[in-house]
Amino acid sequence: MAFNDLLMQVGGVGRFQQIQVALVLLPVLLMASHNTLQNFTAAIPTHHCRPPANTSLSKDKGLEAWLPRSRSGQPESCLRFTSPQAGPPFPNGTEANSTGTTEPCTDGWIYDNSTFPSTIVTEWDLVCSQRALRQLAQSLYMVGVLLGAMLFGYLADRLGRRKVLILNYLQTAVSGTCAAFAPNFSTYCVFRLLSGMSMASIALNCMTLNMEWMPIHTRAHVGTLNGYVYSTGQFLLAGVAYAVPHWRHLQLLVSVPFFAFFIYSWFFIESARWYSSSGRLDLTLRALQRVARINGKREEGDKLSMEVLRASLQKELTTGKGRASAMELLRCPPLRHLFLCLSMVWFATSFAYYGLVMDLQGFGVSIYLIQVIFGAVDLPSKFVCFFVINFLGRRTAQMASLLLAGICILVNGVIPRDQIIVRTSLAVLGKGCLASSFNCIFLYTGELYPTVIRAVTALLPETLGQPLPDTVQDLESRKGKPSQQQQEQQKQMVPLQTSAQEKNGL
């Protein structure tokens, strides 16, 4: 509780916290744009084979004569006849179709550009035998997310949250802009991977930096606000993608703002909690006094000194002298337990979430409409999650959101594919539950891991009302210890129990 008392002394939730939280959360608006950007930049328009260049038939008759039909009566996307078929078009896969020899689309494809004038699919022909390359681009982005979480998480614990965020904003701006001008698919994939690395770090360090500057009673509010900003970004993506359908322009539009984020991030104040956990008491004092001045608490800030900090943070300074490493996640039994549990929760939430949001074309409705619906369902979901987090605890919220999401996804798997409304409704409900799970796991991870390794369900401990652990020793001492709220409830119950015993003559 020592550091929380210092935060309250320099203003609690004052002008500094309000300004820095707002500026740190602003880039989160565009996180959804980058995470699910390929729903629009890699959309697959309706397409069919292009007839040979030397065909002399008229356009309509030429297309009909060269295109075999599927059983549904639609032109095949990946095959054409080796020679034009005379007569009327062959409907519904009749025998006449089977007599014509077919071949792959050796002269390329003709795309329906009415909805998507230009995507990476149409530009680099990522269809038919090359269709897997489209998934490869998104997979490489997610590989970047994994690498970025590990690399920049380590750097954030060593160099500080502010420095890493500054680097990440610049990396996102440069890699995203370069992706917009990529001359070929391979180059595009490289820059998308780099974007994934930086976006993962931005997500983790934005939450960490904000949480470490906020008092205990406001952490759930900050976590929920972070979730709502991300959800707002989903609405923003739908509107921007509709207004700017060309993939290069859209890629550029969601990347250039990070140059502005890079510039103003130099004015962020590094986490004083991280300074103290790193043994930099002089920088801790300087940061707290600067925050006190911004919050209009200059006198309170002047009362702070190196001696006061040493007395207040004696345990942190004593136990934090040794540099903790990522290996502590496996060496220390309490941390190992948390690491395994949190890893499973992160995997389950991420796997299911991106499995839903990265296949918007598969729902059979307007891709822009489903994007808006997926953003809208987050609003009530995260609102309910906020109350559950605050009144029933993090563990209950985490368990319930994952359980409901799993039920929705499993039931959806047995619904016939022609039941579009039912399948879409279940997917939307499941997505809302997974969004709540993300909201909770971001907050939960930051509260459970100590400061020195922070930037890395049913078995997880409750954190409602608990101070943030700064060291591995804090985590070990917390095990089995009731929360502050539970302690206060127990204290209130003692007089009542004593009074009842006196009345009964005990």
Side-chain angles (χ1 to χ4, degrees), residues 492-506:
Q492 294 171 0
M493 290 296 294
V494 170
L496 296 176
Q497 292 172 351
T498 304
S499 176
Q501 291 173 353
E502 291 175 351
K503 288 181 180 179
N504 292 332
L506 296 178

Side-chain angles (χ1 to χ4, degrees), residues 374-395:
F374 268 16
V377 74
D378 284 8
L379 305 183
S381 299
K382 292 178 178 178
F383 187 71
V384 172
C385 183
F386 170 75
F387 284 101
V388 176
I389 283 175
N390 276 285
F391 295 104
L392 298 181
R394 279 66 160 154
R395 179 167 56 181

Side-chain angles (χ1 to χ4, degrees), residues 129-175:
S129 62
Q130 303 296 313
R131 189 186 181 98
L133 294 179
R134 173 182 179 267
Q135 282 79 15
L136 175 64
Q138 182 64 23
S139 297
L140 288 175
Y141 177 84
M142 300 310 294
V143 168
V145 170
L146 175 62
L147 295 176
M150 294 189 295
L151 173 62
F152 291 118
Y154 172 82
L155 292 178
D157 290 329
R158 291 294 174 266
L159 305 177
R161 288 68 163 114
R162 174 180 169 274
K163 291 179 181 177
V164 172
L165 273 177
I166 291 173
L167 172 62
N168 294 149
Y169 292 147
L170 180 61
Q171 180 174 327
T172 301
V174 172
S175 60

Side-chain angles (χ1 to χ4, degrees), residues 93 97 165-166 200 208 223 231 240 346 506:
N97 258 344
L165 273 177
I166 291 173
T208 301
S231 298
V240 171
W346 272 106
L506 296 178

